[in-house]
């Protein structure tokens, strides 16, 4: 058979609240043309809402026109965010575009230079809430009669992925038993190869992170099928902006200058990590130090944010700090805690004894000994040296005090 290749993408969510990047990734269209692929599969949630804007539809149509003019076909199924019963403008779609209906599963034959190369099976969401298992609508291909590479396109939730709405639920086994060669899925925004071979079952994830929680590289899959019908899938990054969330601790920071420098260091680290992509970062400040009260002052974080953003103006590969959130706590004054005549005072005194008195340490170690020597404990725990033991005690004290007085001091 003829070799061929295709690109699989899903979940672009055009018109999503994050307006900054509201066009389909032109990178995907460029990639299709550059790699001279035979067809593009778009597996649902092209638009964020069923009432898609005319502008988003026009831009999407124009992107597909560019693809069509290059002789590349595009096949589309709709998902729960852009079901077919939502409003859509009456537009002339380019001739190489095929949109699957939402009433029944359809089979489409794909040709290359007049020769049939693959069979494509798909169905769109007619309405938003599809709670039935749509895999039942797909045929089971008899392996003996199988001649052509077969692909299933489905927007669905495999194995009840809890991070996403439970629409069109199904199991991996439901998909495997169809005897297809490739399942092009959509719906889950984090890329996942859920079956690596025979068949390949892939969620490409969204090609652009839409909010701070959608961190890391985003892209699509390029699939090559050789003359024996063997397929290989390669992830290719196409996101134009990358999201990051970072926790920075104020432990051991004493001045505003040190805090600002720490954010600058983080920005430079992120610029390197984003490998040429502009990025948007959310910073979460944690830890304890005297800086807590300064950070808590009205306007201080806003001013730091403004100052840092100004420094980024004009940077081509910018690192934009979206927000700085304050989860810091005040420094613990152990000396005054030791003088307290309550449970907290007793607890700090106890930790004080355990970390300085060798006999007490030996006593504590002996108490903990069964944990390390029991048959089940031995499998999980390594023996601890004295230094690590003291370090562990220190951390335990911090955890206890955080829980007991975390709010009391702030
Ligand atoms: Mn979806």
């Amino acid at each position: 058979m003829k070799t061929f290749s295709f690109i699989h993408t899903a979940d672009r969510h055009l018109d999503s609240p994050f307006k900054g990047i509201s066009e389909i990734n032109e990178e995907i269209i460029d990639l299709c043309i550059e790699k001279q692929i035979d067809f593009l599969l778009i597996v649902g949630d092209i638009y964020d809402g069923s009432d898609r804007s005319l502008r988003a539809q026009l831009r999407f149509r124009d992107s597909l026109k560019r693809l069509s003019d290059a002789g590349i076909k595009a096949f589309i199924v709709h998902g729960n965010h852009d079901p077919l019963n939502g409003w859509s403008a009456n537009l002339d779609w380019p001739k190489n575009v095929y949109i699957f209906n939402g009433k029944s599963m359809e089979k489409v034959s794909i040709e290359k230079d007049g020769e049939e190369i693959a069979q494509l099976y798909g169905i769109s969401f007619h309405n938003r809430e599809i709670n039935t298992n749509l895999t039942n609508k797909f045929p089971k291909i008899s392996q003996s009669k199988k001649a052509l590479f077969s692909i299933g396109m489905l927007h669905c939730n495999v194995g009840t992925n809890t991070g996403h709405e439970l629409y069109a639920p199904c199991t991996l086994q439901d998909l495997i038993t169809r005897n297809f060669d490739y399942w092009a899925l959509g719906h889950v925004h984090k890329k996942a190869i859920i079956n690596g071979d025979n068949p390949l079952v892939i969620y490409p994830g969204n090609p652009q992170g839409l909010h701070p929680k959608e961190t890391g590289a985003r892209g699509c899959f390029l699939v090559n099928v050789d003359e024996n019908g063997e397929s290989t899938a390669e992830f290719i990054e196409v996101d134009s902006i990358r999201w990051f969330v970072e926790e920075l601790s104020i432990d051991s920071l004493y001045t505003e200058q040190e805090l600002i420098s720490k954010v600058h260091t983080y920005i430079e680290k992120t610029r390197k990590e984003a490998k040429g992509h502009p990025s948007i970062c959310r910073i979460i400040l944690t830890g304890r130090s005297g800086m807590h009260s300064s950070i808590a002052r009205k306007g201080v974080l806003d001013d730091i944010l403004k100052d840092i953003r100004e420094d980024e103006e004009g940077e081509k590969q910018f690192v934009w700090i979206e927000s700085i959130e304050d989860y810091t706590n005040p420094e613990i004054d152990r000396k005054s805690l030791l003088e307290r005549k309550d449970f907290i005072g007793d607890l700090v005194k106890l930790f004080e004894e355990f970390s300085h008195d060798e006999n007490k340490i030996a006593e504590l170690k002996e108490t903990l000994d069964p944990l390390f020597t029991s048959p089940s404990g031995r499998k999980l725990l390594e023996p601890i040296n004295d230094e690590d033991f003291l370090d562990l005690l220190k951390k335990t004290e911090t955890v206890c005090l955080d829980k007991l007085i975390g709010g009391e001091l702030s």
Side-chain angles (χ1 to χ4, degrees), residues 87-102:
W87 178 79
S88 63
N90 255 321
L91 299 174
D92 290 336
W93 290 93
K95 66 173 175 10
N96 281 334
V97 173
Y98 188 88
I99 300 172
F100 281 88
N101 79 62

Side-chain angles (χ1 to χ4, degrees), residues 270-300:
T270 305
R271 208 188 311 279
K272 261 194 201 141
E273 207 177 310
K275 288 186 240 148
H277 295 79
S279 35
I280 305 181
C281 308
R282 176 173 291 182
I283 290 176
I284 297 168
L285 295 179
T286 59
R288 296 181 171 278
S289 82
M291 277 303 293
H292 166 78
S293 55
S294 172
I295 288 168
R297 279 178 79 91
K298 198 166 181 286
V300 166

Side-chain angles (χ1 to χ4, degrees), residues 43 62 77 88 113 137 147 198 237 263 266 299 318 325 333 406:
V43 194
D62 291 348
V77 300
S88 63
D113 309 326
K137 294 184 183 285
N198 198 23
E237 298 173 1
V263 175
Y266 166 69
F318 60 82
E325 293 179 6
D333 177 6

